[in-house]
Amino acid sequence: MKQKEEYMKLALELAKKGKGSTNPNPMVGAVVVKDGNIIGQGYHEQYGQPHGERNALQHCEKDPAGGELYVTLEPCHHYGKTPPCTEIILQKGIKKVYVGSLDPNPLVSGKGLEFLKSHGITVETGILKEECDAINEVFFHYISTGTPYVVMKYAMTADGKIATVTGESRWITGEQARHKVHETRRECMAIMVGIGTVLADNPMLNCRIPQGKNPLRIICDSRLRISLDSDIVKTAREIPTIVATACENSEKQKALQALGVEVLQLPNSSGKVDLSALMAELGKRNIDSLLLEGGGELNFAALQAGIVQELQVYVAPKIFGGAGAKFPVAGEGIADIHQAFLLQLKEVTPIGEDIFLRYHVAKRRG
C-alpha cells in the first residue's frame, strides 16, 4: 500500500496543472483512495469551475463511500462560485481526509475541518505541508494582505547590465529563457512597467504563448508622458490597460480614456505614483499577482515601497561593460549597508545557456 505522502505528491502534481487558470483562487489537487487503490483524482481547473475535491469525487471509478481523500488545501465550507467542498465530501461518505495546507482565507480558516470532524470524519493535517504551501504562495499572500503578490523580473549579463551603453537590450537572454518569461506572464494576472520602458521599447506586454491569456497591463507614468500612438494605447480596447499617474493633466487623461485606457491618479508626497496605493487598488479588483518588468528606477522604487515579494533573475553568459550602461536596480540607492534589500535564494536552474535565479525578498530591518 502506498504511503500517504505518495498520494499527496500525486495531488500536488494535479494541483499544478491549474497554474495560471485559477487566479485569484488557489491551486488545489485531490486524490480519492479506497482499499489501497486510487479510484478518483481531480484538480481545480479554472476559476469559477468546480474545486479539486469535487472534480475528484465526481469522477470516481467506483463508489467512494468509506474511502479516503487526499487534498492539498483545506476543503472550503462556504458558498462562492461553487458549493462547499465539505458538502460533497460528506455526501460521498468519505471516512478520512488528509490535508496538506490550512487555508488562511477567513471564509475557510479551520471551518471546513471542524465541519468534517463534527460529522464523524477523521482529519489529518500537515501532509507535505511545506510543498503544499509552496504552490500557493500567491494565494496565501493575497488572501492575507489584500494586495497582489509582486514578482520583480529582469534579465542581465554576467556583469549586471540590462542594456548596452547605447541602450540596446534585445536580446540579452536566449529563446528558452524568453519563453519562460511568457509562461510567467500567463500565470500572473497583471504586468507592470515604467514609462521609460514604454518610451524606449514600445512593448506590447502581452503573452505570446498559444492559448495564453494576456495580463492586465499597468504603466507607471508619473508625468503622463505616454504617447497616444504607442502600441500599448492603440491596443487598450483589446487588452485591459491602466496608466497610473501623479499628473493632473485632464486633457491627456481624457484622450487616453477615449482610446480605452483607464487612468488612475495616485500621487505620493514626492510627486510620483504611490505604489502602495496602487497595489491596494489592484487588490480590491481581485488582482492577486503582478509581474514587474520595470527599469532600474521603478525597480528601486518598488523595493523601497516594500511591495515586492519575489525576485526572478535571468543571467546571460555575456559581458557588456560600460560605466554608463544600465543596471537592473538604480534609483537613489541605499547609503547604509544595513538597509540593504535582503534576499533568500529559493531556486537556481540552468535554462539553455542562461541561469534562472529565484529569490524571496525578506522584510527589511527597522
Side-chain angles (χ1 to χ4, degrees), residues 201-232:
D201 301 334
N202 192 28
M204 276 291 289
L205 302 180
N206 58 348
C207 177
R208 293 191 284 274
I209 293 177
Q211 285 81 51
K213 70 179 191 302
N214 290 318
L216 166 69
R217 301 181 302 192
I218 302 165
I219 315 302
C220 284
D221 185 4
S222 294
R223 291 181 284 158
L224 218 53
R225 293 186 290 154
I226 192 168
S227 169
L228 300 182
D229 292 325
S230 65
D231 287 344
I232 290 280

PDB file of all heavy atoms in Angstrom, residues 201-232:
ATOM      1  N   ASP A 201      11.133  51.114 -25.676  1.00  0.00           N
ATOM      2  CA  ASP A 201      10.927  49.852 -26.389  1.00  0.00           C
ATOM      3  C   ASP A 201       9.586  49.725 -27.106  1.00  0.00           C
ATOM      4  O   ASP A 201       9.416  48.824 -27.925  1.00  0.00           O
ATOM      5  CB  ASP A 201      11.055  48.669 -25.410  1.00  0.00           C
ATOM      6  CG  ASP A 201      12.413  48.617 -24.733  1.00  0.00           C
ATOM      7  OD1 ASP A 201      13.378  49.125 -25.332  1.00  0.00           O
ATOM      8  OD2 ASP A 201      12.502  48.077 -23.618  1.00  0.00           O
ATOM      9  N   ASN A 202       8.606  50.567 -26.771  1.00  0.00           N
ATOM     10  CA  ASN A 202       7.251  50.463 -27.329  1.00  0.00           C
ATOM     11  C   ASN A 202       6.746  49.017 -27.278  1.00  0.00           C
ATOM     12  O   ASN A 202       6.362  48.425 -28.296  1.00  0.00           O
ATOM     13  CB  ASN A 202       7.219  50.974 -28.769  1.00  0.00           C
ATOM     14  CG  ASN A 202       5.784  51.154 -29.279  1.00  0.00           C
ATOM     15  OD1 ASN A 202       4.863  51.399 -28.493  1.00  0.00           O
ATOM     16  ND2 ASN A 202       5.594  51.035 -30.584  1.00  0.00           N
ATOM     17  N   PRO A 203       6.733  48.412 -26.091  1.00  0.00           N
ATOM     18  CA  PRO A 203       6.367  46.998 -25.974  1.00  0.00           C
ATOM     19  C   PRO A 203       4.856  46.776 -26.039  1.00  0.00           C
ATOM     20  O   PRO A 203       4.059  47.704 -25.885  1.00  0.00           O
ATOM     21  CB  PRO A 203       6.891  46.634 -24.589  1.00  0.00           C
ATOM     22  CG  PRO A 203       6.695  47.905 -23.805  1.00  0.00           C
ATOM     23  CD  PRO A 203       6.995  49.025 -24.771  1.00  0.00           C
ATOM     24  N   MET A 204       4.466  45.524 -26.243  1.00  0.00           N
ATOM     25  CA  MET A 204       3.050  45.144 -26.197  1.00  0.00           C
ATOM     26  C   MET A 204       2.670  44.621 -24.807  1.00  0.00           C
ATOM     27  O   MET A 204       1.521  44.723 -24.395  1.00  0.00           O
ATOM     28  CB  MET A 204       2.769  44.063 -27.230  1.00  0.00           C
ATOM     29  CG  MET A 204       2.508  44.621 -28.627  1.00  0.00           C
ATOM     30  SD  MET A 204       0.939  45.508 -28.730  1.00  0.00           S
ATOM     31  CE  MET A 204      -0.212  44.143 -28.618  1.00  0.00           C
ATOM     32  N   LEU A 205       3.619  43.994 -24.108  1.00  0.00           N
ATOM     33  CA  LEU A 205       3.383  43.433 -22.774  1.00  0.00           C
ATOM     34  C   LEU A 205       2.257  42.404 -22.788  1.00  0.00           C
ATOM     35  O   LEU A 205       1.462  42.318 -21.858  1.00  0.00           O
ATOM     36  CB  LEU A 205       3.065  44.553 -21.766  1.00  0.00           C
ATOM     37  CG  LEU A 205       4.123  45.647 -21.617  1.00  0.00           C
ATOM     38  CD1 LEU A 205       3.669  46.674 -20.588  1.00  0.00           C
ATOM     39  CD2 LEU A 205       5.470  45.053 -21.221  1.00  0.00           C
ATOM     40  N   ASN A 206       2.228  41.610 -23.839  1.00  0.00           N
ATOM     41  CA  ASN A 206       1.218  40.560 -23.938  1.00  0.00           C
ATOM     42  C   ASN A 206       1.862  39.204 -23.701  1.00  0.00           C
ATOM     43  O   ASN A 206       3.063  39.094 -23.487  1.00  0.00           O
ATOM     44  CB  ASN A 206       0.522  40.606 -25.298  1.00  0.00           C
ATOM     45  CG  ASN A 206       1.511  40.453 -26.456  1.00  0.00           C
ATOM     46  OD1 ASN A 206       2.722  40.528 -26.268  1.00  0.00           O
ATOM     47  ND2 ASN A 206       0.984  40.248 -27.643  1.00  0.00           N
ATOM     48  N   CYS A 207       1.056  38.161 -23.732  1.00  0.00           N
ATOM     49  CA  CYS A 207       1.555  36.788 -23.569  1.00  0.00           C
ATOM     50  C   CYS A 207       1.563  36.131 -24.938  1.00  0.00           C
ATOM     51  O   CYS A 207       0.518  36.011 -25.580  1.00  0.00           O
ATOM     52  CB  CYS A 207       0.663  36.016 -22.600  1.00  0.00           C
ATOM     53  SG  CYS A 207       1.155  34.286 -22.412  1.00  0.00           S
ATOM     54  N   ARG A 208       2.741  35.704 -25.375  1.00  0.00           N
ATOM     55  CA  ARG A 208       2.863  35.146 -26.721  1.00  0.00           C
ATOM     56  C   ARG A 208       2.961  33.618 -26.713  1.00  0.00           C
ATOM     57  O   ARG A 208       3.552  33.019 -27.620  1.00  0.00           O
ATOM     58  CB  ARG A 208       4.069  35.766 -27.426  1.00  0.00           C
ATOM     59  CG  ARG A 208       3.863  37.251 -27.690  1.00  0.00           C
ATOM     60  CD  ARG A 208       4.905  37.839 -28.618  1.00  0.00           C
ATOM     61  NE  ARG A 208       6.180  38.057 -27.984  1.00  0.00           N
ATOM     62  CZ  ARG A 208       6.510  39.153 -27.296  1.00  0.00           C
ATOM     63  NH1 ARG A 208       5.618  40.116 -27.126  1.00  0.00           N
ATOM     64  NH2 ARG A 208       7.706  39.290 -26.768  1.00  0.00           N
ATOM     65  N   ILE A 209       2.343  32.993 -25.712  1.00  0.00           N
ATOM     66  CA  ILE A 209       2.240  31.539 -25.663  1.00  0.00           C
ATOM     67  C   ILE A 209       0.866  31.158 -26.225  1.00  0.00           C
ATOM     68  O   ILE A 209      -0.141  31.769 -25.858  1.00  0.00           O
ATOM     69  CB  ILE A 209       2.376  31.016 -24.226  1.00  0.00           C
ATOM     70  CG1 ILE A 209       3.798  31.257 -23.714  1.00  0.00           C
ATOM     71  CG2 ILE A 209       2.046  29.528 -24.143  1.00  0.00           C
ATOM     72  CD1 ILE A 209       4.007  30.829 -22.283  1.00  0.00           C
ATOM     73  N   PRO A 210       0.781  30.167 -27.108  1.00  0.00           N
ATOM     74  CA  PRO A 210      -0.517  29.750 -27.638  1.00  0.00           C
ATOM     75  C   PRO A 210      -1.511  29.444 -26.517  1.00  0.00           C
ATOM     76  O   PRO A 210      -1.167  28.778 -25.541  1.00  0.00           O
ATOM     77  CB  PRO A 210      -0.175  28.477 -28.438  1.00  0.00           C
ATOM     78  CG  PRO A 210       1.244  28.674 -28.847  1.00  0.00           C
ATOM     79  CD  PRO A 210       1.903  29.402 -27.704  1.00  0.00           C
ATOM     80  N   GLN A 211      -2.715  29.951 -26.646  1.00  0.00           N
ATOM     81  CA  GLN A 211      -3.775  29.813 -25.644  1.00  0.00           C
ATOM     82  C   GLN A 211      -3.458  30.506 -24.315  1.00  0.00           C
ATOM     83  O   GLN A 211      -4.183  30.330 -23.332  1.00  0.00           O
ATOM     84  CB  GLN A 211      -4.105  28.329 -25.354  1.00  0.00           C
ATOM     85  CG  GLN A 211      -4.921  27.640 -26.439  1.00  0.00           C
ATOM     86  CD  GLN A 211      -4.081  27.172 -27.599  1.00  0.00           C
ATOM     87  OE1 GLN A 211      -3.066  26.493 -27.408  1.00  0.00           O
ATOM     88  NE2 GLN A 211      -4.464  27.525 -28.802  1.00  0.00           N
ATOM     89  N   GLY A 212      -2.391  31.275 -24.289  1.00  0.00           N
ATOM     90  CA  GLY A 212      -2.055  32.005 -23.065  1.00  0.00           C
ATOM     91  C   GLY A 212      -2.880  33.268 -22.957  1.00  0.00           C
ATOM     92  O   GLY A 212      -3.132  33.948 -23.953  1.00  0.00           O
ATOM     93  N   LYS A 213      -3.323  33.586 -21.755  1.00  0.00           N
ATOM     94  CA  LYS A 213      -4.135  34.787 -21.566  1.00  0.00           C
ATOM     95  C   LYS A 213      -3.230  35.989 -21.314  1.00  0.00           C
ATOM     96  O   LYS A 213      -2.158  35.864 -20.724  1.00  0.00           O
ATOM     97  CB  LYS A 213      -5.120  34.607 -20.411  1.00  0.00           C
ATOM     98  CG  LYS A 213      -4.492  34.552 -19.031  1.00  0.00           C
ATOM     99  CD  LYS A 213      -5.552  34.385 -17.954  1.00  0.00           C
ATOM    100  CE  LYS A 213      -4.993  34.591 -16.555  1.00  0.00           C
ATOM    101  NZ  LYS A 213      -3.908  33.698 -16.211  1.00  0.00           N
ATOM    102  N   ASN A 214      -3.650  37.147 -21.782  1.00  0.00           N
ATOM    103  CA  ASN A 214      -2.878  38.367 -21.578  1.00  0.00           C
ATOM    104  C   ASN A 214      -3.128  38.925 -20.182  1.00  0.00           C
ATOM    105  O   ASN A 214      -4.265  38.980 -19.735  1.00  0.00           O
ATOM    106  CB  ASN A 214      -3.260  39.425 -22.614  1.00  0.00           C
ATOM    107  CG  ASN A 214      -2.796  39.067 -24.003  1.00  0.00           C
ATOM    108  OD1 ASN A 214      -1.681  38.597 -24.186  1.00  0.00           O
ATOM    109  ND2 ASN A 214      -3.656  39.272 -24.993  1.00  0.00           N
ATOM    110  N   PRO A 215      -2.076  39.371 -19.507  1.00  0.00           N
ATOM    111  CA  PRO A 215      -2.272  40.003 -18.199  1.00  0.00           C
ATOM    112  C   PRO A 215      -2.786  41.433 -18.360  1.00  0.00           C
ATOM    113  O   PRO A 215      -2.641  42.047 -19.423  1.00  0.00           O
ATOM    114  CB  PRO A 215      -0.857  40.003 -17.600  1.00  0.00           C
ATOM    115  CG  PRO A 215       0.054  40.040 -18.795  1.00  0.00           C
ATOM    116  CD  PRO A 215      -0.650  39.288 -19.884  1.00  0.00           C
ATOM    117  N   LEU A 216      -3.407  41.945 -17.315  1.00  0.00           N
ATOM    118  CA  LEU A 216      -3.751  43.356 -17.257  1.00  0.00           C
ATOM    119  C   LEU A 216      -2.461  44.157 -17.328  1.00  0.00           C
ATOM    120  O   LEU A 216      -1.512  43.879 -16.596  1.00  0.00           O
ATOM    121  CB  LEU A 216      -4.481  43.654 -15.941  1.00  0.00           C
ATOM    122  CG  LEU A 216      -4.641  45.121 -15.537  1.00  0.00           C
ATOM    123  CD1 LEU A 216      -5.604  45.837 -16.478  1.00  0.00           C
ATOM    124  CD2 LEU A 216      -5.121  45.224 -14.092  1.00  0.00           C
ATOM    125  N   ARG A 217      -2.406  45.172 -18.199  1.00  0.00           N
ATOM    126  CA  ARG A 217      -1.179  45.955 -18.364  1.00  0.00           C
ATOM    127  C   ARG A 217      -1.270  47.241 -17.535  1.00  0.00           C
ATOM    128  O   ARG A 217      -2.271  47.961 -17.598  1.00  0.00           O
ATOM    129  CB  ARG A 217      -0.971  46.300 -19.836  1.00  0.00           C
ATOM    130  CG  ARG A 217      -0.864  45.071 -20.724  1.00  0.00           C
ATOM    131  CD  ARG A 217      -0.643  45.423 -22.172  1.00  0.00           C
ATOM    132  NE  ARG A 217      -1.700  46.265 -22.724  1.00  0.00           N
ATOM    133  CZ  ARG A 217      -1.846  46.515 -24.025  1.00  0.00           C
ATOM    134  NH1 ARG A 217      -0.996  45.991 -24.901  1.00  0.00           N
ATOM    135  NH2 ARG A 217      -2.820  47.289 -24.461  1.00  0.00           N
ATOM    136  N   ILE A 218      -0.205  47.510 -16.786  1.00  0.00           N
ATOM    137  CA  ILE A 218      -0.164  48.705 -15.941  1.00  0.00           C
ATOM    138  C   ILE A 218       1.115  49.477 -16.261  1.00  0.00           C
ATOM    139  O   ILE A 218       2.212  48.915 -16.227  1.00  0.00           O
ATOM    140  CB  ILE A 218      -0.190  48.327 -14.446  1.00  0.00           C
ATOM    141  CG1 ILE A 218      -1.440  47.498 -14.130  1.00  0.00           C
ATOM    142  CG2 ILE A 218      -0.154  49.581 -13.567  1.00  0.00           C
ATOM    143  CD1 ILE A 218      -1.389  46.784 -12.810  1.00  0.00           C
ATOM    144  N   ILE A 219       0.953  50.749 -16.553  1.00  0.00           N
ATOM    145  CA  ILE A 219       2.092  51.613 -16.841  1.00  0.00           C
ATOM    146  C   ILE A 219       2.208  52.662 -15.743  1.00  0.00           C
ATOM    147  O   ILE A 219       1.255  53.405 -15.494  1.00  0.00           O
ATOM    148  CB  ILE A 219       1.927  52.341 -18.205  1.00  0.00           C
ATOM    149  CG1 ILE A 219       1.441  51.381 -19.294  1.00  0.00           C
ATOM    150  CG2 ILE A 219       3.230  53.032 -18.597  1.00  0.00           C
ATOM    151  CD1 ILE A 219       2.316  50.192 -19.535  1.00  0.00           C
ATOM    152  N   CYS A 220       3.346  52.708 -15.074  1.00  0.00           N
ATOM    153  CA  CYS A 220       3.596  53.765 -14.095  1.00  0.00           C
ATOM    154  C   CYS A 220       4.176  54.968 -14.842  1.00  0.00           C
ATOM    155  O   CYS A 220       5.294  54.901 -15.367  1.00  0.00           O
ATOM    156  CB  CYS A 220       4.572  53.286 -13.013  1.00  0.00           C
ATOM    157  SG  CYS A 220       3.821  52.191 -11.820  1.00  0.00           S
ATOM    158  N   ASP A 221       3.407  56.037 -14.894  1.00  0.00           N
ATOM    159  CA  ASP A 221       3.750  57.198 -15.717  1.00  0.00           C
ATOM    160  C   ASP A 221       3.445  58.462 -14.923  1.00  0.00           C
ATOM    161  O   ASP A 221       2.415  59.113 -15.122  1.00  0.00           O
ATOM    162  CB  ASP A 221       2.938  57.134 -17.016  1.00  0.00           C
ATOM    163  CG  ASP A 221       3.292  58.234 -18.007  1.00  0.00           C
ATOM    164  OD1 ASP A 221       4.222  58.998 -17.726  1.00  0.00           O
ATOM    165  OD2 ASP A 221       2.616  58.307 -19.055  1.00  0.00           O
ATOM    166  N   SER A 222       4.338  58.823 -14.024  1.00  0.00           N
ATOM    167  CA  SER A 222       4.079  59.919 -13.086  1.00  0.00           C
ATOM    168  C   SER A 222       3.691  61.219 -13.777  1.00  0.00           C
ATOM    169  O   SER A 222       2.795  61.934 -13.331  1.00  0.00           O
ATOM    170  CB  SER A 222       5.311  60.155 -12.199  1.00  0.00           C
ATOM    171  OG  SER A 222       5.531  59.043 -11.362  1.00  0.00           O
ATOM    172  N   ARG A 223       4.345  61.523 -14.902  1.00  0.00           N
ATOM    173  CA  ARG A 223       4.093  62.807 -15.581  1.00  0.00           C
ATOM    174  C   ARG A 223       3.229  62.664 -16.832  1.00  0.00           C
ATOM    175  O   ARG A 223       3.087  63.594 -17.601  1.00  0.00           O
ATOM    176  CB  ARG A 223       5.426  63.474 -15.923  1.00  0.00           C
ATOM    177  CG  ARG A 223       6.185  63.953 -14.689  1.00  0.00           C
ATOM    178  CD  ARG A 223       7.485  64.637 -15.070  1.00  0.00           C
ATOM    179  NE  ARG A 223       8.509  63.665 -15.467  1.00  0.00           N
ATOM    180  CZ  ARG A 223       9.561  63.956 -16.231  1.00  0.00           C
ATOM    181  NH1 ARG A 223       9.722  65.167 -16.711  1.00  0.00           N
ATOM    182  NH2 ARG A 223      10.457  63.032 -16.525  1.00  0.00           N
ATOM    183  N   LEU A 224       2.655  61.503 -17.030  1.00  0.00           N
ATOM    184  CA  LEU A 224       1.735  61.234 -18.136  1.00  0.00           C
ATOM    185  C   LEU A 224       2.383  61.531 -19.497  1.00  0.00           C
ATOM    186  O   LEU A 224       1.870  62.276 -20.323  1.00  0.00           O
ATOM    187  CB  LEU A 224       0.447  62.054 -17.961  1.00  0.00           C
ATOM    188  CG  LEU A 224      -0.867  61.366 -18.370  1.00  0.00           C
ATOM    189  CD1 LEU A 224      -1.021  60.016 -17.685  1.00  0.00           C
ATOM    190  CD2 LEU A 224      -2.049  62.243 -18.053  1.00  0.00           C
ATOM    191  N   ARG A 225       3.534  60.884 -19.713  1.00  0.00           N
ATOM    192  CA  ARG A 225       4.286  61.105 -20.943  1.00  0.00           C
ATOM    193  C   ARG A 225       3.968  60.084 -22.034  1.00  0.00           C
ATOM    194  O   ARG A 225       4.488  60.186 -23.145  1.00  0.00           O
ATOM    195  CB  ARG A 225       5.788  61.060 -20.643  1.00  0.00           C
ATOM    196  CG  ARG A 225       6.281  62.212 -19.773  1.00  0.00           C
ATOM    197  CD  ARG A 225       7.803  62.165 -19.641  1.00  0.00           C
ATOM    198  NE  ARG A 225       8.236  61.024 -18.830  1.00  0.00           N
ATOM    199  CZ  ARG A 225       9.435  60.447 -18.942  1.00  0.00           C
ATOM    200  NH1 ARG A 225      10.285  60.866 -19.861  1.00  0.00           N
ATOM    201  NH2 ARG A 225       9.764  59.446 -18.145  1.00  0.00           N
ATOM    202  N   ILE A 226       3.138  59.115 -21.755  1.00  0.00           N
ATOM    203  CA  ILE A 226       2.872  58.060 -22.724  1.00  0.00           C
ATOM    204  C   ILE A 226       2.272  58.631 -24.007  1.00  0.00           C
ATOM    205  O   ILE A 226       1.442  59.545 -23.985  1.00  0.00           O
ATOM    206  CB  ILE A 226       1.947  56.981 -22.116  1.00  0.00           C
ATOM    207  CG1 ILE A 226       1.919  55.742 -23.008  1.00  0.00           C
ATOM    208  CG2 ILE A 226       0.540  57.529 -21.863  1.00  0.00           C
ATOM    209  CD1 ILE A 226       1.283  54.539 -22.352  1.00  0.00           C
ATOM    210  N   SER A 227       2.714  58.096 -25.141  1.00  0.00           N
ATOM    211  CA  SER A 227       2.220  58.573 -26.436  1.00  0.00           C
ATOM    212  C   SER A 227       0.896  57.905 -26.786  1.00  0.00           C
ATOM    213  O   SER A 227       0.709  56.704 -26.553  1.00  0.00           O
ATOM    214  CB  SER A 227       3.248  58.259 -27.532  1.00  0.00           C
ATOM    215  OG  SER A 227       2.704  58.468 -28.811  1.00  0.00           O
ATOM    216  N   LEU A 228       0.006  58.674 -27.362  1.00  0.00           N
ATOM    217  CA  LEU A 228      -1.276  58.126 -27.811  1.00  0.00           C
ATOM    218  C   LEU A 228      -1.067  57.168 -28.980  1.00  0.00           C
ATOM    219  O   LEU A 228      -1.959  56.380 -29.300  1.00  0.00           O
ATOM    220  CB  LEU A 228      -2.227  59.252 -28.216  1.00  0.00           C
ATOM    221  CG  LEU A 228      -2.582  60.269 -27.124  1.00  0.00           C
ATOM    222  CD1 LEU A 228      -3.571  61.300 -27.666  1.00  0.00           C
ATOM    223  CD2 LEU A 228      -3.160  59.581 -25.897  1.00  0.00           C
ATOM    224  N   ASP A 229       0.101  57.232 -29.617  1.00  0.00           N
ATOM    225  CA  ASP A 229       0.406  56.353 -30.749  1.00  0.00           C
ATOM    226  C   ASP A 229       1.187  55.104 -30.343  1.00  0.00           C
ATOM    227  O   ASP A 229       1.551  54.301 -31.199  1.00  0.00           O
ATOM    228  CB  ASP A 229       1.226  57.120 -31.797  1.00  0.00           C
ATOM    229  CG  ASP A 229       0.420  58.222 -32.468  1.00  0.00           C
ATOM    230  OD1 ASP A 229      -0.789  58.008 -32.673  1.00  0.00           O
ATOM    231  OD2 ASP A 229       0.997  59.288 -32.768  1.00  0.00           O
ATOM    232  N   SER A 230       1.440  54.941 -29.050  1.00  0.00           N
ATOM    233  CA  SER A 230       2.178  53.750 -28.601  1.00  0.00           C
ATOM    234  C   SER A 230       1.323  52.498 -28.807  1.00  0.00           C
ATOM    235  O   SER A 230       0.091  52.553 -28.829  1.00  0.00           O
ATOM    236  CB  SER A 230       2.546  53.878 -27.122  1.00  0.00           C
ATOM    237  OG  SER A 230       1.376  53.886 -26.326  1.00  0.00           O
ATOM    238  N   ASP A 231       1.989  51.361 -28.970  1.00  0.00           N
ATOM    239  CA  ASP A 231       1.258  50.095 -29.160  1.00  0.00           C
ATOM    240  C   ASP A 231       0.388  49.772 -27.949  1.00  0.00           C
ATOM    241  O   ASP A 231      -0.683  49.174 -28.087  1.00  0.00           O
ATOM    242  CB  ASP A 231       2.244  48.956 -29.419  1.00  0.00           C
ATOM    243  CG  ASP A 231       2.856  49.023 -30.816  1.00  0.00           C
ATOM    244  OD1 ASP A 231       2.299  49.756 -31.663  1.00  0.00           O
ATOM    245  OD2 ASP A 231       3.886  48.359 -31.047  1.00  0.00           O
ATOM    246  N   ILE A 232       0.855  50.152 -26.771  1.00  0.00           N
ATOM    247  CA  ILE A 232       0.071  49.924 -25.550  1.00  0.00           C
ATOM    248  C   ILE A 232      -1.285  50.617 -25.654  1.00  0.00           C
ATOM    249  O   ILE A 232      -2.336  50.015 -25.413  1.00  0.00           O
ATOM    250  CB  ILE A 232       0.825  50.469 -24.308  1.00  0.00           C
ATOM    251  CG1 ILE A 232       2.060  49.616 -24.007  1.00  0.00           C
ATOM    252  CG2 ILE A 232      -0.103  50.548 -23.094  1.00  0.00           C
ATOM    253  CD1 ILE A 232       1.773  48.336 -23.284  1.00  0.00           C
TER     254      ILE A 232
END
